[in-house]
Each structure stands twice: as C-alpha cells, then as structure tokens.
Amino acid sequence: MAPEPVPSPPPVAPVAEVNSHRIAASPLEVVETPPPESLGDDDLLDEIPSDMLESIPPGPAESYAAGVDDDEPPISSQRPRALMALDDPLSDAETDDEDREVPLKTPPPESGPQAAPLPMGLAAPPSPDVEALLEADLVESRAASSRSEPTTEQLGHTIELEEARGPSLELAAAPPTPAPPAPPEDLEIALPLREAAGRYDEELVPPPEARDELDAHLENRNQVAPSERGAPESLSEQGDEPAAAAPAVELIGRPPLESGTVIRAERAPAPISRPNTFLELLDASITLGG
Amino acid sequence: MATRFDPAFSVQFDLGRGQIAVRDGGDRVLVPVAALVALCDGADSEARKDFAHRLGTEAGRRVAERLGDTSGAGVEAVVEHIGGELALMGLGSLAVERWGRALVVTISGSPFGPRGDDLLVALLEGVFQRAFGRDASALLLMRADADARFLITSRAGADKVQSWLRAGTAWGDALARFHSGAPS
C-alpha cells in the first residue's frame, strides 16, 4: 500500500519576485512549512490549488524603498525549525550568515524528513573550520602512523611533564641493539657479484685491434733512448714504483733556444701624406722613377 | 680659383657651312673610329706617337687655359678638366689612382681598344707636358676589357717597371716594388 502523499505546503512567492525585492517579513507572517521543491512559474500556476495560495502583503514602505535588509531574511528563506535542528554542524555557519537564502524543496514522500541541502549559488558556502580540519588530520596521522618518532604535529602538542617526585631511579644501560639487517633488494634476479666490482679488472683482455696499437706504441717507446726521454719529475722524485696497470707518462721537451734578440722594434715609415695639388702628385711619381 | 669644367656649348655644329668647332678649340672633324684606327695602323710608330702627342698637347692647352695656374690646382680639379677634354674628343672616361706616391691614370671605354694603347700613352704624355710642363712618361700597366691603367713616372722608372712586367711580375707587385724603391 503506497504511503499517503504529503500535502503540498502553502505556496510561496515566485523566486523572481523574491530576488528583485528584499522584503522584511514581520514575525506574524512567518510561514513555518517544509520547504517545497524547486518551483517554477508553471508549477505555481498549474498545480497549487487556489485555496492554498496565500498572498503575503509587503512590509513597511521604508524597508521596501531601501530594498535590502541584511538583518532579517526574506520570507521565502524561512525554514522549518525541525529541519534547522538537523543541521547542527552548520548551525554556527548559519547563525553567522542569516541572510543566506535556502532553496525550499519538497522532500519526496518516501524519503521522510531530510536535512535541508546547502544553498547552491544563492550565497557563498560557509568558511571551513581550519582548526577542526587540522585536528582531524592529527587524529588520522596518529592512527595511521606506526612510527616511533613523533611527528611535527605531535611535537607541537608536546605536554611538558612535571618533575618526578621521589627518589630518582637509575636504570641500567640498555644493551646496544644490533643494527637492523639491510633490507633485501627488491630484485627479481640477484645480480652476480664480481670481485673486481668498482675497480679495474686486470683480467680483462683488450680487443684484438687495440692490441696491435698497444704493441706498436710500446715498441716506439722502447726505441727512444732513456737519456733522451725526459722522465717526469712527479715520478722520479717520488721514487715509487709506477703502477703496473697505468702506462708511464712521457714528456718531450723542446730543445733549448740559443740566446739572441727575440724582439726587434722597427719604426714604421711615416705615412705618406696626401698631396695638396696635382703637380705635387705628378712630381712625386716622377721622382720615384729616379 | 679653378673653375668647374662646363661642357655646355663646347661643340658647335654649323650645319649651314658644314663645320664643327669646339669652343676655344678650333674646327673639328667627326670621323669613324675604324677609319682612324686603320689609318693609324698604316702609319709608323713615330707618326702614331706624334699624332697622339698632338692630341694630348691640344687637350693640355685647353686645361691650362681653364685652370689658369695649374701649379696650385687640386687633384680633383685637374682630373675633372682633363677628363672633360678627353670626353669631348670621345676617347673615354679618365680617372686617377694614387698608389702611395705613384700616379696611375685609368681610361675606361676608349674606342681604340687594345690596338690604341700606344696612342693613349702618347696622348697622356702630351697632356702633362703641355699643362704642367713636366716630361712625364706613361706606361701601360694592365688592360682588362675596356679598362686600362697607365703609370705616370719618369722615363727611367717606366723602363724599370716595364722590364718587371715583361719578366712576368704582376702589375700590382710591380707597383709595390716600384714604390718601395727596389732596384731594377
């Protein structure tokens, strides 16, 4: 058996009229009815019986002329007290913003009493409670973390304990805890370790083409007389045996230069001045020939 | 003060009497270049040289009359007047280059072409001798199509440079060598 439909509440002034004028409602004209669904002009004219229509006279002339009264909300925004009680978390926000208009909606017959939704577009949403959110984050971090070290948030709420009363206790030093084992590498296949890891592997064989070049280099090096080969000072002074793997560095110096004049300054010839007359130019050219 | 070269009314055509004259220059004859070149080819070198020298002397005389005191005339003014006289004769465009202290004259568009280079040499020698009273010698340094360069110097200097050119020295190197005073 289907439940009886909820009687439709008394009509309310169209939304357009409410938005254009802000009429201050007197206490006697408060309509305590559940908010209907979103109404359009067609709905008000077609479905609502005439006996349920109730015209709300305008307020005082002063308030009408002023147009805006931020202290008292319009009549259309009046909500049932029962519904308002369901919105405890938002009660503070509502009391802070009394001018917020709540769209009235008629709850479906099956759903029963419901909390009024937040206004959409008519007014700005309430500002979030930062402290409440932070506390919620702290609770979550405490519950989720399994770390032994206190978090930054926890440190901020450190509670200083009073000094202990009574004899002081000396606890024996705790034995050193062994170092935790290194976590195993998350590898599918364990990489083989080489003895020469990180170092030059002497057992490596050079490629065939490089071998010939190395031999030629060694032969050329051996052909140079030791006296002519200038041993680097860094190797001779240290007296250490050169590394077996690294080749010796050979520096070939220039032969000493004979002493002499390196720089000779010459005075540049005086620039030829431009002749003032054609005859001077002609005479100069004739003189060149001798 | 040297005056600008004014070619206006320089050539006068009296068609009634069939005469052509150059202002302050006497009568002139308009002849084809080919005929004149053929005539010069048939003459000996001395005749050709004398013919060209006379042309230069006439041009130098007119330059001296227009410039007045040629000893004080600037390079640009002399180039303007000598070039104007050669243009009135239809012998091409004249310009001057200074290679250090060496004087080089360039003639572009001569109707004689390479066959008339010796005529131009004699003509330039006549101009400088008549206008400035200097016995200068001209030497063909190079010719590139319609452009020819002539070195203006003494006879000895011209012979020296000519020997270098005949030895295969480039004309620019020869000029540089001539300017540095290198011996022959």
Side-chain angles (χ1 to χ4, degrees):
Chain A
M1 182 179 175
E4 294 181 355
V6 177
S8 59
V12 182
V15 178
E17 295 182 1
V18 172
N19 290 335
S20 60
H21 308 292
R22 275 190 162 252
I23 303 171
S26 60
L28 297 177
E29 299 173 352
V30 174
V31 179
E32 298 182 352
T33 56
E37 293 179 349
S38 56
L39 297 175
D41 292 341
D42 294 337
D43 295 337
L44 293 173
L45 295 176
D46 296 335
E47 297 180 0
I48 302 174
S50 60
D51 58 344
M52 301 196 65
L53 293 176
E54 179 180 345
S55 63
I56 302 174
E62 298 80 14
S63 62
Y64 191 90
V68 176
D69 189 352
D70 294 335
D71 296 334
E72 298 182 0
I75 297 175
S76 61
S77 65
Q78 293 296 332
R79 297 172 59 204
R81 296 179 182 174
L83 295 177
M84 293 175 64
L86 297 176
D87 299 333
D88 285 337
L90 302 177
S91 61
D92 296 338
E94 287 186 357
T95 55
D96 296 335
D97 188 9
E98 295 178 352
D99 295 334
R100 178 166 47 88
E101 296 182 23
V102 180
L104 302 177
K105 292 185 178 180
T106 303
E110 312 73 64
S111 61
Q114 291 181 348
L118 296 175
M120 299 297 294
L122 297 179
S127 58
D129 191 357
V130 178
E131 294 182 355
L133 293 175
L134 289 176
E135 289 181 357
D137 290 342
L138 286 175
V139 171
E140 290 178 0
S141 63
R142 290 171 188 169
S145 66
S146 59
R147 293 173 290 178
S148 60
E149 299 178 356
T151 61
T152 306
E153 294 79 3
Q154 295 173 352
L155 291 176
H157 296 273
T158 303
I159 301 174
E160 295 183 1
L161 301 175
E162 298 179 354
E163 294 182 358
R165 301 175 184 175
S168 61
L169 298 176
E170 295 182 359
L171 301 175
T177 58
E185 296 180 355
D186 189 6
L187 300 175
E188 294 182 358
I189 301 174
L191 298 176
L193 298 178
R194 298 178 58 184
E195 295 179 356
R199 295 180 291 109
Y200 176 71
D201 191 0
E202 299 178 355
E203 297 179 359
L204 288 178
V205 179
E209 55 273 13
R211 187 66 186 175
D212 297 338
E213 296 178 359
L214 179 60
D215 294 340
H217 173 69
L218 293 175
E219 289 178 3
N220 294 335
R221 183 167 173 234
N222 295 330
Q223 290 177 359
V224 176
S227 60
E228 298 179 358
R229 189 188 316 165
E233 295 180 356
S234 60
L235 295 178
S236 61
E237 289 180 355
Q238 293 177 0
D240 298 333
E241 295 181 357
V249 178
E250 176 183 357
L251 298 179
I252 302 175
R254 294 173 55 192
L257 296 174
E258 297 179 359
S259 60
T261 304
V262 178
I263 299 175
R264 184 179 66 183
E266 292 184 356
R267 183 179 296 277
I272 300 173
S273 59
R274 189 175 185 274
N276 297 326
T277 64
F278 186 86
L279 187 59
E280 293 179 5
L281 177 60
L282 179 60
D283 291 339
S285 184
I286 292 173
T287 307
L288 277 176
Chain B
M1 181 176 177
T3 58
R4 297 295 303 274
F5 177 78
D6 187 8
F9 305 105
S10 296
V11 181
Q12 299 173 355
F13 290 86
D14 189 352
L15 298 180
R17 291 188 291 176
Q19 294 179 350
I20 300 173
V22 172
R23 186 177 58 187
D24 301 331
D27 295 336
R28 293 288 188 268
V29 178
L30 288 178
V31 296
V33 173
L36 185 57
V37 170
L39 179 62
C40 293
D41 289 343
D44 57 2
S45 60
E46 289 299 325
R48 294 160 57 92
K49 184 178 177 180
D50 185 66
F51 168 70
H53 196 272
R54 288 177 179 271
L55 295 178
T57 301
E58 179 62 19
R61 182 187 66 80
R62 293 168 55 82
V63 169
E65 289 180 354
R66 297 189 182 197
L67 290 177
D69 184 14
T70 57
S71 62
V75 177
E76 291 80 6
V78 172
V79 171
E80 180 182 5
H81 283 270
I82 294 178
E85 293 298 330
L86 263 63
L88 285 178
M89 289 188 288
L91 297 181
S93 175
L94 182 140
V96 167
E97 297 176 356
R98 187 170 67 91
W99 291 64
R101 291 181 293 173
L103 174 62
V104 175
V105 175
T106 62
I107 296 177
S108 301
S110 171
F112 299 137
R115 298 166 60 180
D117 289 341
D118 57 339
L119 296 177
L120 295 178
V121 166
L123 184 145
L124 291 173
E125 293 177 350
V127 169
F128 296 127
Q129 185 181 24
R130 182 64 179 86
F132 301 97
R134 297 291 190 270
D135 291 332
S137 297
L139 173 66
L140 177 65
L141 290 173
M142 57 78 71
R143 168 169 284 278
D145 297 333
D147 300 335
R149 280 187 171 85
F150 301 90
L151 172 64
I152 308 301
T153 184
S154 63
R155 172 52 57 188
D159 294 339
K160 185 190 305 182
V161 175
Q162 190 173 25
S163 65
W164 295 338
L165 294 176
R166 289 177 178 175
T169 306
W171 67 273
D173 297 338
L175 269 181
R177 188 176 177 182
F178 176 68
H179 187 269
S180 62
S184 58

